[in-house]
Amino acid sequence: MSSVTRKSAKLKCLRLTLLFAIVVVCQKLSLKMSKSSGKLNIINRNTYEDFKSADGQRELKTLRSAKYKKKHKKEEQCSLFDFVIVPRKQQKSVNKNKKKRPNLIIARNSFTFQSKRKGKTRLHPKIRITRLKRIIRNFRKLKQTINQDNVVDHLEEKFGGMFIEQPTKELDNSLSIQLDLLSHATEPTETSLNNAMSATHQIHSRRFRSYCDNCTTKRLKELTTQLLNDLDRFQKRAYANNEIKARAHPRLVVGFREAQSRLRINKVKLLILAPDCEICPAAGGLDDTITELKSLCQQQRVPYCFSLMRRELAYALHKRAQISCVAILDYDGVNETFKQVVHEVNEARQQYKELTATAK
């Protein structure tokens, strides 16, 4: 009987201790909650005593939720400090010793390196003129001086010295220019100019020069324009995708200098020359370069043709300036049109030979 009573007493003690612990914990929680929110202040004993002492004179505390606070938000008054711009703190540069990469311009799935130019930069950069261009310009000046001399002689014969005094200054200038031109070894003389003008065939004219050796048929013109249009489109598409690769492997090049450099390394598949190039029989001039290009093509068995005028070549390649020479390096994608062009060129050359044979 004693053991049972002892066990029951122990159980009662445990229950009492647990209840006491629960009460203490609840009191602590109520204190914490009262500090954080105003909802438990109503249940708190202190508030109850306050209400009892005041006898209902004290105003009830309104409980406001977050939704209510958002609705009844007080308008904040502006001050001058709101308009003061606070400077941002500069971000600390990470890896200062790390080398900067070159600037990349990314546009439409392509990128190009924009490297800084070395050396001094001029405000008005020098215009670089090629040797061929310089010879052509000098020849033009010489032609002008010869024409001026012919005009003065005609005036002397007609009016007997009435207009001699007016063009004296112009004549002095022209003579000085002519002397400067004749001092160079590469510049032509008056006799070479006359010989160049006279030594032309009946078929040939200013629009169909003496260096041409094939007739310009309508079919040949259509095929060459189609070929150039397609290749130009392919090249522009390659530049849009990847400019570096496109520069390394161009489809076609424009100009005498580019064509010559590509012919020397056996890269040209077809050469298209304009039949209406300017007359320049000086040493190293246009006539010499065209004959040199023709001889190189014949040595390497590269087909060449005189199909489109300078303006027509520019129109086919969507350029403003006139084009005298186009060298095709890669015709992949337009194989059929290329074969047709070569076949048409052979027929036009045979036609030219027949015409020249009959004209003689």
Side-chain angles (χ1 to χ4, degrees):
M1 188 74 180
S2 60
S3 63
V4 174
T5 52
R6 280 176 190 171
K7 282 179 182 179
S8 62
K10 281 181 182 178
L11 283 166
K12 280 179 183 179
C13 286
L14 282 165
R15 282 173 186 171
L16 285 166
T17 49
L18 280 166
L19 281 166
F20 182 74
I22 289 160
V23 168
V24 169
V25 169
C26 286
Q27 280 181 355
K28 284 181 180 179
L29 282 167
S30 67
L31 285 166
K32 282 181 183 178
M33 293 290 280
S34 65
K35 285 177 185 176
S36 61
S37 66
K39 287 180 181 179
L40 287 170
N41 287 337
I42 301 161
I43 305 156
N44 199 7
R45 190 172 182 79
N46 294 326
T47 51
Y48 175 70
E49 285 174 359
D50 289 338
F51 277 118
K52 201 174 180 182
S53 61
D55 296 326
Q57 290 177 7
R58 193 177 173 180
E59 291 180 1
L60 290 166
K61 196 174 182 180
T62 53
L63 299 171
R64 289 172 183 174
S65 61
K67 196 175 180 182
Y68 181 85
K69 284 174 184 175
K70 278 181 186 176
K71 268 190 181 181
H72 303 280
K73 215 174 193 179
K74 288 181 181 179
E75 291 181 1
E76 292 179 359
Q77 290 183 349
C78 294
S79 62
L80 289 170
F81 291 106
D82 294 332
F83 298 98
V84 175
I85 298 161
V86 181
R88 285 185 177 181
K89 289 181 181 178
Q90 290 182 353
Q91 290 181 349
K92 290 179 181 178
S93 57
V94 184
N95 299 330
K96 286 181 181 178
N97 298 326
K98 210 172 188 180
K99 287 182 180 178
K100 287 183 179 179
R101 290 180 183 179
N103 296 325
L104 291 171
I105 302 164
I106 297 156
R108 202 182 163 186
N109 302 326
S110 68
F111 59 91
T112 54
F113 288 101
Q114 193 182 23
S115 56
K116 286 184 179 179
R117 286 187 70 184
K118 290 181 180 179
K120 61 184 178 182
T121 54
R122 297 175 186 273
L123 288 168
H124 306 288
K126 288 181 178 178
I127 299 161
R128 291 183 181 181
I129 303 161
T130 57
R131 184 171 170 272
L132 183 63
K133 188 72 178 174
R134 200 179 291 114
I135 291 162
I136 291 160
R137 282 183 179 180
N138 290 336
F139 190 77
R140 282 174 189 167
K141 284 178 185 176
L142 183 62
K143 278 203 290 185
Q144 283 175 2
T145 52
I146 291 160
N147 291 330
Q148 281 177 3
D149 290 338
N150 292 332
V151 167
V152 170
D153 292 336
H154 180 68
L155 287 168
E156 281 181 2
E157 286 172 8
K158 199 169 187 180
F159 298 103
M162 283 174 71
F163 294 96
I164 292 168
E165 293 178 1
Q166 290 178 3
T168 49
K169 288 181 181 178
E170 291 180 5
L171 267 169
D172 292 334
N173 292 329
S174 67
L175 285 166
S176 64
I177 290 161
Q178 195 171 358
L179 286 165
D180 290 330
L181 291 169
L182 292 168
S183 64
H184 299 289
T186 54
E187 272 63 2
T189 56
E190 192 177 346
T191 54
S192 66
L193 176 62
N194 293 326
N195 290 330
M197 294 290 188
S198 61
T200 53
H201 204 271
Q202 287 180 3
I203 299 163
H204 299 292
S205 63
R206 193 173 61 81
R207 289 172 67 81
F208 188 74
R209 291 280 311 284
S210 58
Y211 57 78
C212 301
D213 57 0
N214 68 273
C215 293
T216 53
T217 58
K218 191 179 178 182
R219 176 70 178 155
L220 182 63
K221 279 188 175 185
E222 285 173 1
L223 286 166
T224 46
T225 47
Q226 189 185 340
L227 182 74
L228 288 170
N229 277 321
D230 291 340
L231 289 171
D232 186 46
R233 193 176 75 250
F234 294 156
Q235 187 155 307
K236 280 173 181 174
R237 189 173 65 189
Y239 266 79
N241 290 330
N242 193 343
E243 195 175 341
I244 294 162
K245 279 187 180 179
R247 280 184 188 280
H249 306 286
R251 289 299 191 100
L252 53 92
V253 288
V254 177
F256 287 111
R257 190 175 62 180
E258 292 288 330
Q260 270 184 335
S261 63
R262 294 305 198 287
L263 269 166
R264 281 165 190 160
I265 55 171
N266 301 320
K267 290 280 181 183
V268 179
K269 302 292 186 291
L270 174 68
L271 190 73
I272 301 163
L273 293 158
D276 62 334
C277 286
E278 196 177 340
I279 298 163
C280 186
L286 268 174
D287 293 359
D288 283 1
T289 51
I290 289 162
T291 50
E292 190 185 342
L293 284 167
K294 280 170 71 177
S295 64
L296 280 167
C297 288
Q298 286 162 6
Q299 284 169 18
Q300 296 173 15
R301 292 181 181 178
V302 175
Y304 64 91
C305 66
F306 306 93
S307 54
L308 297 170
M309 303 284 182
R310 286 183 291 175
R311 287 281 182 196
E312 288 169 345
L313 279 169
Y315 184 76
L317 294 170
H318 309 288
K319 304 274 185 189
R320 283 187 179 180
Q322 292 180 351
I323 295 166
S324 301
C325 177
V326 179
I328 291 162
L329 311 177
D330 184 16
Y331 57 87
D332 190 26
V334 284
N335 299 324
E336 284 297 319
T337 49
F338 181 79
K339 284 175 186 175
Q340 286 173 11
V341 165
V342 172
H343 179 69
E344 199 67 34
V345 165
N346 292 328
E347 285 186 357
R349 195 160 282 132
Q350 194 66 35
Q351 193 180 344
Y352 173 79
K353 282 175 184 176
E354 288 170 6
L355 281 165
T356 49
T358 53
K360 283 177 183 177

